[in-house]
Amino acid sequence: MKLHASSPSGANTITAYGDDYVMVNGARRDSSVVVTADAVQPWSAADFEHLKEEDFAALADLGVEIVLLGTGPRQRFPHPRLTASLGAKRIGLEVMDLKAACRTYNILVAEERKVALALLFG
């Protein structure tokens, strides 16, 4: 699905997505990635089954107020022990399937919210 959204000038947005990829500003990504308004970077988390506390600790250091976790084609919730570093820094976590996370990210970044999109594939 292709998306068209208005966003702050220069902010990274999701321009398309499918079951096994996303496009950030037209560039295809098909492995774990973290997207913020001003950065796109690979995420060390390989897949949902291998999530570690360290994966979320890295997200806690991004300076955002909310993290959207896209868990692939279906919504799956990580154990609270893994995400404790986000709560300790008063960073919200919303868990959804990949497609819903992409749509929500575009809305929040258009509102100029401090948001990070962390995506897992498969």
Side-chain angles (χ1 to χ4, degrees), residues 5-9 11-13 37 65-66 68 102-115:
S6 60
S7 64
S9 179
N12 292 313
T13 57
E65 60 188 30
I66 188 166
L68 303 175
C102 289
R103 292 187 301 266
T104 304
Y105 168 81
N106 277 353
I107 292 167
L108 293 178
V109 82
E111 293 175 352
E112 298 185 20
R113 299 276 305 273
K114 292 182 179 181
V115 60

Side-chain angles (χ1 to χ4, degrees), residues 49-106:
E49 289 75 22
H50 295 99
L51 284 171
K52 302 179 299 256
E53 291 178 41
E54 295 81 16
D55 298 324
F56 291 97
L59 298 176
D61 293 333
L62 293 175
V64 297
E65 60 188 30
I66 188 166
V67 171
L68 303 175
L69 176 62
T71 58
R74 64 185 175 91
Q75 182 183 36
R76 298 180 283 179
F77 292 90
H79 193 283
R81 160 181 54 80
L82 300 177
T83 63
S85 59
L86 295 173
K89 290 193 174 182
R90 302 182 56 83
I91 298 170
L93 174 67
E94 293 293 332
V95 180
M96 42 193 89
D97 67 57
L98 183 137
K99 294 175 182 180
C102 289
R103 292 187 301 266
T104 304
Y105 168 81
N106 277 353

Side-chain angles (χ1 to χ4, degrees), residues 10-27:
N12 292 313
T13 57
I14 304 302
T15 53
Y17 58 76
D19 290 332
D20 59 351
Y21 76 96
V22 295
M23 294 185 76
V24 182
N25 301 331

